[in-house]
Amino acid sequence: MLDHILKKAEDTGDLNLDEIEQLLRLEEQKDLDKLFASSYRVKTQYVGRTAWFRGIVEFSNICIKDCYYCGIRRSNSKTKRFIIPENDIIESAVWAWKAEYGSVVLQSGERDDPEFVDMVERIIREIKKRTNSELGLTLSLGEQSEETYRRWFDAGAHRYLLRIETSNKDLYVRLHPADHSFDHRVACLQLLRETGYQVGTGVMIGLPMQTHRNLAEDLLFFKTLDIDMIGMGPYIFHSDTPLASFRTEWELPPKKLLNLGLKMIALARLLMRDINIAATTALQALEHNGREQGLLAGANVIMPNATDTQYRESYQLYENKPCTDENASMCRGCLQRRVEQIGEKIGFGQWGDSPHFAARQDNKVVTAK
Ligand code: SAM
Ligand code: SF4
């Protein structure tokens, strides 16, 4: 039965909800090995065995939102708030460019005040100038107005990562205060696409109250949205958040949670063959080689931390976040070794857009003719 479903996935790139759920429930190591071998074949064929680096600069933990799972939520008074000075953010990006990262992600808590919007626009323009427009720029700055998305795009950002967190509206409502809207987040994903960004989304895996069915639906949600990139990862509890009260009942053992994350990556690869999929840092929080396991399950993007070490302690979305005390160049060296050890190479100095995005651009040209 497993062989049959995997063959169907490899041949067609399509599975129904029941089949996806069945694969998500696999527990035996020999079955998991089959699943990962299958998704790795698809990865090799459609996106190759190059891991793209995105240096991530987590430049502020000031946030106007209050998501129940997040360690830097507005109401967590234990978090020491920071914003990295503009020039230092730019320097981190320039450092990543010189280290041939090809591309960086600017991420922070959500703010929509004019001062913040202007600052981000200035930073984007300056990074573009200082790097001869060679450095790719992804933003992960939450929900914004159409005008803001447009201004940042016009300034030079070309990718945007906005996780839907869960595609199940009822679960979304349970994970957020009443003024956080699922529909608005979906509308933002649409706006981002219309503005011209390559759009990435994702979910947290292993959330309290989340079922295998929900995760299967998440994968079909990404497919329906025709997404270009996925950045999803395990949910990890943070004691100073409201969701911590669910810990005893819902926390999965690390190995089980890691495997669930890897299964989600593998299924995403089988269902959306030519998109970019990140092996997120949260995988590494669960096992020291979690990110390499992510690559072997089908991911093709790694996001080394390029944030100045003095600020990393305060960007604790979850407990035991890895690499908080390594400096950025150590992260580069250790990751390069790790990636090469599994027989892959790093796509230094290139943006590494997903073939999926490239194909859509080509189609646009064809239709325009
Ligand atoms: N504020 C922006 C937003 O929410 O889109 C970007 C920064 S936010 C810290 C980035 C991601 O962190 C969120 O989309 C969420 O999925 C993830 N995150 C927050 N708390 C987490 C936790 N406890 N475990 C794992 N991931 C978490
Ligand atoms: Fe803020 Fe993002 Fe954390 Fe939500 S997930 S509290 S928006 S930083």
Side-chain angles (χ1 to χ4, degrees):
M1 192 60 184
L2 174 60
D3 292 336
H4 173 76
I5 300 179
L6 290 178
K7 182 166 181 344
K8 176 180 169 194
E10 279 192 55
D11 289 349
T12 66
D14 271 318
L15 291 176
N16 62 39
L17 261 184
D18 288 339
E19 291 164 335
I20 299 172
E21 189 179 339
Q22 213 173 318
L23 295 182
L24 283 173
R25 288 183 181 281
L26 295 177
E27 293 293 345
E28 297 275 326
Q29 193 56 48
K30 66 172 184 7
D31 293 340
L32 294 178
D33 290 344
K34 272 190 185 176
L35 170 64
F36 301 149
S38 175
S39 56
Y40 200 74
R41 273 194 297 276
V42 170
K43 161 175 156 165
T44 307
Q45 186 182 346
Y46 286 87
V47 295
R49 294 171 65 197
T50 301
W52 304 108
F53 268 20
R54 317 272 186 246
I56 181 158
V57 184
E58 296 163 335
F59 68 83
S60 172
N61 64 359
I62 302 169
C63 189
I64 56 170
K65 293 280 200 71
D66 228 1
C67 311
Y68 293 154
Y69 41 82
C70 179
I72 63 171
R73 63 195 294 270
R74 179 181 72 212
S75 300
N76 183 7
S77 54
K78 289 193 188 161
T79 294
K80 195 173 130 229
R81 303 289 162 173
F82 73 89
I83 175 154
I84 301 184
E86 227 169 296
N87 259 338
D88 292 354
I89 302 171
I90 295 163
E91 285 307 329
S92 291
V94 171
W95 175 88
W97 170 63
K98 288 186 178 154
E100 295 186 288
Y101 275 17
S103 166
V104 296
V105 183
L106 300 181
Q107 188 181 83
S108 79
E110 191 172 304
R111 276 176 61 185
D112 59 1
D113 53 287
E115 196 191 331
F116 180 78
V117 173
D118 291 350
M119 182 194 77
V120 172
E121 186 178 356
R122 276 196 308 275
I123 290 172
I124 298 169
R125 289 194 190 282
E126 191 58 24
I127 292 175
K128 283 284 165 190
K129 200 162 99 198
R130 294 269 308 273
T131 64
N132 307 323
S133 291
E134 285 170 14
L135 186 72
L137 259 186
T138 307
L139 303 179
S140 173
L141 306 173
E143 295 168 41
Q144 302 289 342
S145 69
E146 184 173 1
E147 190 205 334
T148 299
Y149 285 147
R150 160 70 49 203
R151 279 177 56 190
W152 291 346
F153 183 78
D154 290 344
H158 59 109
R159 301 187 184 117
Y160 205 105
L161 205 55
L162 184 73
R163 285 185 176 177
I164 191 65
E165 316 297 1
T166 169
S167 67
N168 183 287
K169 208 167 167 172
D170 294 338
L171 182 55
Y172 189 94
V173 167
R174 290 169 166 210
L175 301 173
H176 298 93
D179 60 351
H180 294 28
S181 156
F182 175 84
D183 292 335
H184 186 253
R185 211 156 170 92
V186 175
C188 282
L189 286 169
Q190 197 57 43
L191 266 183
L192 286 163
R193 164 67 51 74
E194 285 162 15
T195 311
Y197 288 96
Q198 289 178 53
V199 183
T201 191
V203 291
M204 283 176 288
I205 300 160
L207 286 160
M209 301 166 283
Q210 188 181 46
T211 62
H212 286 96
R213 193 70 170 183
N214 294 152
L215 289 169
E217 285 161 354
D218 290 339
L219 289 162
L220 291 185
F221 173 88
F222 304 150
K223 202 170 157 85
T224 310
L225 240 59
D226 194 24
I227 219 74
D228 301 308
M229 346 179 254
I230 293 181
M232 60 187 172
Y235 162 69
I236 300 177
F237 281 88
H238 189 299
S239 312
D240 304 321
T241 58
L243 275 203
S245 59
F246 289 85
R247 195 169 201 153
T248 334
E249 194 185 343
W250 286 93
E251 188 165 39
L252 292 171
K255 186 72 190 167
K256 212 171 168 153
L257 182 54
L258 177 71
N259 279 341
L260 194 54
L262 296 174
K263 285 183 272 187
M264 283 293 281
I265 289 177
L267 276 154
R269 177 59 68 204
L270 287 169
L271 296 168
M272 291 157 276
R273 302 152 158 191
D274 58 353
I275 64 168
N276 278 347
I277 302 175
T280 53
T281 315
L283 288 174
Q284 198 195 342
L286 296 170
E287 222 163 79
H288 73 284
N289 64 350
R291 282 190 291 204
E292 293 87 288
Q293 295 189 52
L295 292 179
L296 290 169
N300 66 332
V301 169
I302 283 200
M303 296 158 82
N305 204 329
T307 317
D308 197 324
T309 22
Q310 62 174 311
Y311 300 108
R312 292 194 199 172
E313 260 320 305
S314 301
Y315 203 84
Q316 290 281 342
L317 312 178
Y318 47 84
E319 281 153 16
N320 300 322
K321 197 159 169 255
C323 277
T324 47
D325 56 358
E326 276 179 337
N327 67 34
S329 59
M330 278 164 70
C331 270
R332 181 192 197 271
C334 91
L335 264 174
Q336 180 169 5
R337 262 193 318 280
R338 284 157 170 246
V339 169
E340 287 171 358
Q341 262 166 17
I342 59 163
E344 299 210 340
K345 67 175 192 333
I346 294 160
F348 281 122
Q350 296 168 61
W351 284 14
D353 287 339
S354 72
H356 189 76
F357 178 74
R360 189 188 346 213
Q361 295 307 99
D362 290 349
N363 285 341
K364 259 194 205 154
V365 176
V366 172
T367 6
K369 270 183 192 163

